[in-house]
Amino acid sequence: MKNIVKGVVLASMMMSCQVLALTLSEARQQGRVGETLSGFIAPIKQDKETLALVKSINEARSENYQKLADSNNISANQVAELAGQKLVERAQPGEYVRGINGQWMKK
């Protein structure tokens, strides 16, 4: 299970490096997106560029979660939740995360 989590986090970070007008790292630093416990990012700002980034990253994460789930005989939701916990924990100071109460918090 530990290897699954490491694989999910690593893959999620790698997907973050896609060549886009706005990178995930930049969006996090600018407070445009935040990590959620669901394993997916969510937009804080609702501009076109941010929404396109969120869609792209979340589609890639979803595909990756499904592949990991298939190879480990667990559900994609379980993989996503494990990844979400780790990604929220690893968010850098100044980045936003959505708590269990649904509210955005700045780390």
Side-chain angles (χ1 to χ4, degrees):
M1 200 59 117
K2 209 175 204 182
N3 289 334
I4 294 171
V5 173
K6 286 181 184 176
V8 168
V9 172
L10 179 61
S12 295
M13 289 178 177
M14 288 172 50
M15 287 183 283
S16 303
C17 296
Q18 295 176 348
V19 177
L20 298 170
L22 174 69
T23 68
L24 180 54
S25 180
E26 291 170 339
R28 285 177 177 152
Q29 292 169 355
Q30 294 171 13
R32 296 168 81 164
V33 301
E35 290 292 346
T36 69
L37 292 170
S38 69
F40 297 95
I41 59 170
I44 297 171
K45 307 288 184 191
Q46 299 295 318
D47 61 276
K48 186 177 179 179
E49 191 176 30
T50 299
L51 295 175
L53 175 72
V54 168
K55 182 179 183 224
S56 174
I57 296 296
N58 285 341
E59 285 175 354
R61 284 185 181 186
S62 184
E63 289 175 19
N64 189 51
Y65 295 160
Q66 187 60 57
K67 287 177 187 174
L68 287 167
D70 291 344
S71 65
N72 289 285
N73 296 318
I74 60 174
S75 74
N77 285 340
Q78 288 174 301
V79 174
E81 287 175 4
L82 287 168
Q85 291 171 2
K86 292 296 179 184
L87 291 166
V88 166
E89 287 173 14
R90 293 181 181 178
Q92 298 298 307
E95 295 179 353
Y96 285 91
V97 297
R98 185 179 285 160
I100 57 173
N101 63 1
Q103 300 296 311
W104 289 111
M105 300 178 291
K106 196 172 195 179
K107 278 192 111 178

